Each structure stands twice: as structure tokens, then as C-alpha cells.
């Protein structure tokens, strides 16, 4: 099991950074992770949700807890469409690329944009005078006129989702080292790609990100999507060598508490709350190191978005030698495990809206990947539909999407 967790965390390290799951992953790291996973794949399939003993969502009896009788989860956006969206960087949203992306939505069944409000470096992507944001944040003019952008999206009938990268925040970590993870010499820790994280135990960090979300909601975003809701990858191996404040709560409980708190703070504003989570989380027990428990997080959000890119599954997963070359089978397997995790939640279950792949993973090496286009995007959408999932988000770090797919 240690090999599995290590491989998962390595994969997380591979796709973290500026692309949040897009096309800048390291081929060597990907292959190493795949080898680690392959050693255990035969025992793990199909899925890990059926492991004996208590699961992360188990009650005192060891059986999964279900929603209490009479509970009905309230949807803050009951008039929202069935979301079929694309990821849009702040550069694209604030620049000349926007018109071509709007045309794509005008010409297809796509109807939503996930736009960076606080990006992967930690920059607030538009000018603001809000003192709650300026206390910790650093605005950039990637989107020079956010009200004008929101008006344009409304004109085109676009369902707007504001993406906020939470605990990966190099900007805040450098400006306020006391809110980050420090080395013994006082310097701010960063990962191999130069990214720093802020301390999820610190409520100031919670409130800052929620302040960003509140302003985004007031500007017209119908949904707030939190990404990097976790500790750094491999944190359990680093924690003892780093200096940071913490409570008696576990990392898993701390992350789940942030999600619950954010949901409570934003609900009065009438916006949905969604969380991105790595796709493997549905197929393995809770990732204690980074503090992510698929079920605990899902229970307290309106929408859960597992990143189930076929390129990010190692050799042998879901009975497929090279998952990237079999998008249909990979998505079907991922959705099977997702339903095993979430179905026991009953009325607490959120909308399932996965991130799917619209990029070519050439870094996997010859024979381990295929070019992605219409056929591959269609295959993923078909697998989702057959699994009872009608919503999805397309990821391409360069915002170049397949125009003729069967959306």
C-alpha cells in the first residue's frame, strides 16, 4: 500500500504546477509512477472501494454512513444548466482569445467557462480595491475589466465558474512566511517546480481565500471552484523537517473542515461550491499525506470534479495496459469507482462533474499515448453518459479545444 500511495503522490507532483493536470508533466516521473502502480494493479482492480474493514467514510459499525432520513441537499443554483464547460486561463479570458472561445460555446453544446480568479501562482487575476483581498493577495491585470467580462459572458449565455487555487500559493507564502511551511533556517519551502504552499491549518488562509470567493460571487460568478484543496504532495515525509503551526486535527479533518466552512460562508450568496480532486481519490483509501478524503470532501460541496484524465492513470488500471490509449474504458472504470464512493452518501451526494482530457499526452512516450481529438473526447463523454453522468469539464492548459466533438 505504501507503494501505491507513493505513486499517487508522485503523480500529483507530476501534474501540479502551472497546468493543474494539463500538458506539462514529466515523462520520466509519469513512467516511474506507472511502474509503482503496476506492481499492485492486479490486486487493486476493480477499484479499492471494496477493501475490507473500515473505509474512510465508515461509521462505528465499519459500514458506510448514508444520509439521515429527511435530509435534502439544497442546490443554490436550481436554475443552472447541465454544465458542459472548458477551462479558461485569466490570460485567455482577458485577452484576444476570449472571442474564439465564446464562438466555440456559441457553436456547440458547451455552455460554461471555468475562469481563473486566483491562479496557480497565487495572483488575484483582476484589479481589486477590496482590503480583505489586498491584505494577503497580489492583484494582476490579466483580466483588466472583470465587470465587462462578466457582462459579455452573460450576453453569450455562459454559466461562469470562478476557479480559486487555494493552498498552493507561492505569492502568499513569500509575502507571509509565517503562513507557509518553512525550513529550519526560516526560508520558505518549495517543491521541485518552485511552488510553495500555505498552511491549511491557519484560519487566516481560509478566510483570505473565502474573501476572494465572496468577491467573485458578488461580481457574478454562479459557482466557486476550489482547486489544490490539500497539503503539498508527499507532505507526510516532509512535515517533521518543516516549521509550521498546526492543531491537533489530522490533515484529512483539516481539509474537510475548510471545505465545510467555505460552503457555509458562501451559501448565503447563492453560489454553488465545487472542489477539484485527483481522480485516483475515488479508487483508493483517503490520501492521508495530502489530507484528501474523497467522501468527506464530497459530502460538503455542491459539485465534485475528479480529474480523471486517462493520461494520469498508470499501466494496468481498470484492466487497461495503457489507459491513455483507451479513453472509454478508463473513464468507465473511474466512474465505477466514483459511484462506489459516493452512492452511499444518499441525499448528501453532490453533482458529479469530472474533468476530462482534451490534450495529447506525448510525454508518456511512444506506444503509451495517442493523439487526442474528436474520437477520444467523444469516447470519454460516451463513457460518462453510460455511467449516468451528464456534466463534464474539458481541460487543455493552452485552451485549445476540439470544436467538432459530440458535446
Amino acid at each position: 500500500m505504501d507503494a501505491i500511495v507513493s505513486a499517487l503522490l508522485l503523480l500529483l507532483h507530476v501534474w501540479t504546477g502551472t497546468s493543474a493536470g494539463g500538458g506539462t508533466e514529466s515523462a520520466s516521473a509519469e513512467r516511474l509512477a506507472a511502474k509503482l502502480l503496476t506492481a499492485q494493479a492486479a490486486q487493486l482492480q476493480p477499484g479499492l472501494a471494496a477493501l475490507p474493514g473500515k473505509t474512510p467514510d465508515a461509521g462505528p459499525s465499519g459500514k458506510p454512513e448514508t444520509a439521515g432520513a429527511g435530509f435534502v441537499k439544497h442546490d443554490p443554483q436550481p436554475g443552472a444548466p447541465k454544465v458542459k464547460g472548458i477551462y479558461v486561463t485569466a490570460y485567455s479570458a482577458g485577452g484576444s482569445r476570449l472571442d474564439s472561445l465564446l464562438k466555440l460555446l456559441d457553436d456547440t453544446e458547451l455552455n460554461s467557462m471555468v475562469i481563473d480568479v486566483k491562479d496557480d501562482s497565487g495572483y488575484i487575476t483582476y484589479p481589486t480595491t477590496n482590503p480583505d483581498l489586498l491584505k494577503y493577495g497580489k492583484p494582476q491585470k490579466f483580466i483588466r475589466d472583470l465587470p465587462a467580462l462578466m457582462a459579455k459572458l452573460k450576453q453569450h449565455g455562459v454559466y461562469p465558474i470562478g476557479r480559486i487555487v487555494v493552498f498552493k500559493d507561492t505569492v502568499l507564502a513569500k509575502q507571509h512566511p509565517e503562513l507557509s511551511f518553512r525550513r529550519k533556517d526560516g526560508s520558505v519551502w518549495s517543491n521541485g517546480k518552485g511552488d510553495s504552499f500555505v498552511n491549511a491549518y491557519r484560519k487566516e488562509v481560509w478566510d483570505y481565500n473565502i474573501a476572494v470567493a465572496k468577491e467573485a460571487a458578488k461580481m457574478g460568478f454562479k459557482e466557486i471552484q476550489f482547486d489544490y484543496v490539500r497539503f503539498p504532495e508527499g507532505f507526510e515525509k516532509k512535515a517533521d523537517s518543516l516549521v509550521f503551526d498546526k492543531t491537533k486535527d489530522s490533515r484529512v479533518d483539516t481539509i474537510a473542515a475548510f471545505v465545510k466552512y467555505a460552503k457555509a460562508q458562501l451559501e448565503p450568496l447563492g453560489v454553488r461550491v465545487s472542489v477539484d480532486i485527483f481522480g485516483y481519490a475515488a479508487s483508493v483509501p483517503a490520501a492521508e499525506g495530502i489530507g484528501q478524503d474523497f467522501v468527506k470532501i464530497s459530502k460538503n460541496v455542491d459539485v465534485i470534479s475528479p480529474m480523471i484524465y486517462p493520461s494520469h492513470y498508470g499501466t494496468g488500471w481498470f484492466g487497461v495496459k495503457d489507459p491513455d490509449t483507451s479513453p472509454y474504458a478508463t473513464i468507465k472504470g473511474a466512474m465505477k469507482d466514483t459511484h462506489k464512493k459516493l452512492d452511499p452518501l444518499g441525499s448528501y451526494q453532490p453533482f458529479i462533474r469530472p474533468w476530462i482530457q482534451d490534450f495529447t499526452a506525448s510525454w508518456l512516450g511512444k506506444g503509451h499515448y495517442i493523439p487526442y481529438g474528436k474520437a477520444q473526447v467523444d469516447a470519454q463523454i460516451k463513457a460518462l453518459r453510460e455511467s449516468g453522468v451528464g456534466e463534464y469539464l474539458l481541460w487543455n492548459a493552452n485552451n485549445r479545444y476540439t470544436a467538432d466533438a459530440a458535446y
Side-chain angles (χ1 to χ4, degrees):
M1 186 56 65
D2 288 341
I4 291 296
V5 174
S6 297
L8 297 179
L9 295 175
L10 176 57
L11 277 170
L12 260 171
H13 175 73
V14 168
W15 84 66
T16 51
T18 58
S19 64
T24 61
E25 292 83 345
S26 160
S28 60
E30 184 83 25
R31 285 193 293 271
L32 176 57
K35 288 179 181 178
L36 289 169
L37 287 165
T38 302
Q40 300 289 333
Q43 289 93 342
L44 290 174
Q45 301 307 320
L48 285 177
L51 282 173
K54 290 190 177 182
T55 60
D57 56 323
S61 66
K63 297 179 180 179
E65 290 182 331
T66 57
F71 174 83
V72 177
K73 203 167 194 175
H74 169 68
D75 182 3
Q77 288 285 321
K82 184 177 290 187
V83 173
K84 302 175 181 181
I86 58 174
Y87 166 64
V88 179
T89 66
Y91 294 101
S92 293
S96 59
R97 291 287 306 283
L98 179 64
D99 287 340
S100 62
L101 293 171
L102 285 171
K103 186 177 188 306
L104 172 66
L105 269 64
D106 288 342
D107 294 345
T108 68
E109 294 298 312
L110 295 171
N111 58 14
S112 179
M113 289 184 176
V114 179
I115 299 173
D116 284 334
V117 172
K118 177 170 170 273
D119 68 14
D120 292 75
S121 296
Y123 290 113
I124 296 168
T125 62
Y126 60 93
T128 180
T129 58
N130 186 333
D132 292 332
L133 275 58
L134 296 176
K135 182 177 180 180
Y136 294 119
K138 187 173 182 181
Q140 296 288 321
K141 294 182 179 180
F142 303 138
I143 302 172
R144 291 183 175 273
D145 191 340
L146 185 55
L149 170 63
M150 300 308 295
K152 197 166 190 177
L153 296 179
K154 185 175 182 180
Q155 180 184 354
H156 285 262
V158 176
Y159 180 78
I161 301 173
R163 177 176 178 257
I164 295 175
V165 177
V166 183
F167 297 121
K168 189 181 79 166
D169 192 332
T170 304
V171 170
L172 180 55
K174 288 184 176 179
Q175 289 185 341
H176 290 274
E178 75 278 8
L179 298 178
S180 70
F181 304 106
R182 288 98 63 202
R183 301 183 182 92
K184 300 295 185 183
D185 63 5
S187 62
V188 174
W189 173 87
S190 61
N191 63 19
K193 293 189 175 183
D195 301 315
S196 295
F197 281 64
V198 287
N199 187 356
Y201 284 108
R202 293 292 294 259
K203 191 170 181 293
E204 301 97 317
V205 175
W206 292 19
D207 287 333
Y208 163 54
N209 281 277
I210 291 168
V212 177
K214 286 180 176 178
E215 179 158 282
K218 291 175 182 177
M219 297 295 281
F221 284 97
K222 303 297 184 185
E223 181 173 321
I224 302 301
Q225 182 186 94
F226 292 116
D227 201 358
Y228 287 88
V229 185
R230 60 176 179 80
F231 287 80
E233 59 275 10
F235 188 75
E236 70 280 7
K237 297 179 181 179
K238 304 179 180 75
D240 290 343
S241 66
L242 297 174
V243 178
F244 61 97
D245 299 319
K246 63 180 178 179
T247 70
K248 59 181 176 56
D249 295 327
S250 69
R251 290 186 286 272
V252 162
D253 287 343
T254 297
I255 295 299
F258 163 74
V259 172
K260 186 174 183 178
Y261 178 72
K263 170 64 175 163
Q265 290 288 308
L266 293 170
E267 191 157 12
L269 299 181
V271 291
R272 282 177 173 173
V273 172
S274 59
V275 166
D276 294 337
I277 191 166
F278 66 105
Y280 280 109
S283 301
V284 301
E288 302 284 348
I290 60 172
Q292 282 194 338
D293 183 302
F294 194 87
V295 173
K296 287 184 176 181
I297 289 174
S298 295
K299 187 174 182 179
N300 290 299
V301 296
D302 300 300
V303 181
I304 193 72
S305 291
M307 298 175 284
I308 55 172
Y309 316 115
S311 61
H312 285 60
Y313 287 92
T315 301
W317 278 88
F318 311 121
V320 179
K321 180 180 178 182
D322 292 298
D324 188 73
T325 67
S326 300
Y328 174 83
T330 303
I331 299 300
K332 285 282 282 199
M335 285 296 95
K336 182 179 179 181
D337 286 354
T338 296
H339 282 302
K340 283 182 179 179
K341 284 277 190 178
L342 297 185
D343 286 352
L345 286 180
S347 56
Y348 281 98
Q349 184 176 158
F351 293 107
I352 300 171
R353 187 195 301 149
W355 281 101
I356 60 174
Q357 180 171 328
D358 196 4
F359 57 86
T360 297
S362 56
W363 61 86
L364 294 177
K366 186 177 180 180
H368 301 293
Y369 79 96
I370 56 176
Y372 268 56
K374 173 177 169 53
Q376 292 70 36
V377 173
D378 286 352
Q380 294 175 87
I381 294 172
K382 179 183 178 183
L384 290 176
R385 287 174 177 160
E386 291 180 358
S387 301
V389 176
E391 299 195 15
Y392 50 83
L393 301 169
L394 298 169
W395 180 274
N396 182 294
N398 296 317
N399 299 168
R400 301 185 185 279
Y401 297 99
T402 302
D404 59 346
Y407 299 121

